[in-house]
């Protein structure tokens, strides 16, 4: 398997969808669609949006999950009554999910007036702020990057320069890493069975 660095695999920051922290969800969706259209069609489409502050520093990410969850405000109430982010990992039954859907009146009216909601929701209120383990240096090996992705269960890592860990130059996506691993598996030559 050919070894590659994170820098070779990352999507440069200039090619990734981004919006200002003051943007609306509508602005974010437009930016994502624009970046998807301009991106190399041989690669996986972007599925997240980076959020930048007024000094053009990345301060957050907005995933597909974040966007959809933000459209149903009752999830916030439900999360406040449970341990943050733990419900989906507990192996809860279908009956439990149905009961919470009914109890919290989830999605009863969430899809009504979607355009108005998207124009009112601010990105800063729904973005996710990356934690320390979601950054990787551009010179890091794929071994390190894969380890960070798997242990942290991240969909992407923010790539920093070697000289300044606060300077972000790209994003390493799990979809690209998966493709790299899959290509490497297919390159393996297994000895043929001697029959």
């Amino acid at each position: 398997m050919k070894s590659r660095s994170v820098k070779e695999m990352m999507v440069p920051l200039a090619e990734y969808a981004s919006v200002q922290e003051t943007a609306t969800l509508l602005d974010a969706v437009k930016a994502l669609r624009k970046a998807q259209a301009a991106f190399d069609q041989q690669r996986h489409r972007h599925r997240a949006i980076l959020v930048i502050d007024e000094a053009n520093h990345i301060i957050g990410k907005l995933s597909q999950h974040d966007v959809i969850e933000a459209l149903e405000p009752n999830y916030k109430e439900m999360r406040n009554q449970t341990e943050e982010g733990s419900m989906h990992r507990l192996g809860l039954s279908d009956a439990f999910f149905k009961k919470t859907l009914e109890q919290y009146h989830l999605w009863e009216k969430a899809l009504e007036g979607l355009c108005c909601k998207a124009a009112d929701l601010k990105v800063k209120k729904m973005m996710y702020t990356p934690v320390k383990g979601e950054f990787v240096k551009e010179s890091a090996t794929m071994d390190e990057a894969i380890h960070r992705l798997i242990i942290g269960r991240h969909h992407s890592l923010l790539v920093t320069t070697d000289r300044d860990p606060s300077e972000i130059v790209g994003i390493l996506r799990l979809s690209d890493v998966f493709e790299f691993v899959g290509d490497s598996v297919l390159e393996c030559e297994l000895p043929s069975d001697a029959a």
Side-chain angles (χ1 to χ4, degrees):
M1 174 167 78
K2 182 183 173 189
S3 181
R4 297 178 80 180
S5 70
V6 167
K7 187 173 184 174
E8 293 175 89
M9 296 282 301
M10 74 177 193
V11 175
L13 208 51
E15 296 177 23
Y16 214 79
S18 64
V19 292
Q20 293 286 327
E21 63 184 320
T22 56
T24 65
L25 174 58
L26 178 61
D27 297 327
V29 171
K30 286 179 180 179
L32 179 61
R33 291 285 169 95
K34 183 179 177 184
Q36 286 174 333
F39 194 61
D40 179 358
Q41 297 303 309
Q42 299 299 314
R43 296 182 73 184
H44 297 280
R45 294 170 60 151
H46 300 312
R47 291 183 173 85
I49 303 134
L50 299 175
V51 181
I52 54 178
D53 65 13
E54 53 200 29
N56 284 331
H57 295 116
I58 295 173
I59 58 168
K61 292 184 201 178
L62 195 59
S63 71
Q64 293 169 323
H65 193 271
D66 297 326
V67 169
I68 293 171
E69 185 176 317
L71 292 170
E72 174 46 270
N74 289 326
Y75 279 120
K76 186 174 184 179
E77 179 185 341
M78 190 173 120
R79 277 199 190 279
N80 289 341
Q81 295 181 14
T82 61
E83 189 176 326
E84 183 75 26
S86 65
M87 291 180 59
H88 68 283
R89 292 191 177 127
L90 295 177
L92 301 171
S93 70
D94 286 341
F96 174 81
F97 282 102
K98 185 174 182 175
K99 183 178 178 185
T100 56
L101 184 69
E102 293 167 358
Q103 179 182 352
Y104 291 96
H105 307 286
L106 300 170
W107 295 105
E108 285 182 354
K109 295 182 181 182
L111 296 177
E112 293 175 12
L114 212 52
C115 295
C116 293
K117 287 179 188 177
D120 289 339
L121 284 170
K122 295 294 184 186
V123 167
K124 188 171 185 174
K125 293 204 181 251
M126 64 181 117
M127 73 177 194
Y128 169 78
T129 303
V131 296
K132 189 175 181 180
E134 289 179 76
F135 296 85
V136 65
K137 290 182 180 179
E138 62 187 339
S139 64
T141 64
M142 287 306 297
D143 297 347
E144 179 184 340
I146 290 170
H147 183 67
R148 285 183 182 275
L149 287 164
I150 299 304
I151 294 298
R153 300 190 65 82
H154 304 301
H155 292 275
S156 63
L157 298 174
L158 294 172
V159 182
T160 64
T161 63
D162 292 333
R163 67 185 176 283
D164 182 358
S166 67
E167 184 183 350
I168 298 168
V169 293
I171 189 162
L172 180 68
R173 306 176 310 168
L174 180 61
S175 58
D176 294 325
V177 171
F178 182 78
E179 181 124 347
F180 167 72
V181 169
D183 289 347
S184 298
V185 167
L186 293 174
E187 286 178 6
C188 296
E189 290 188 33
L190 299 174
S192 58
D193 291 337

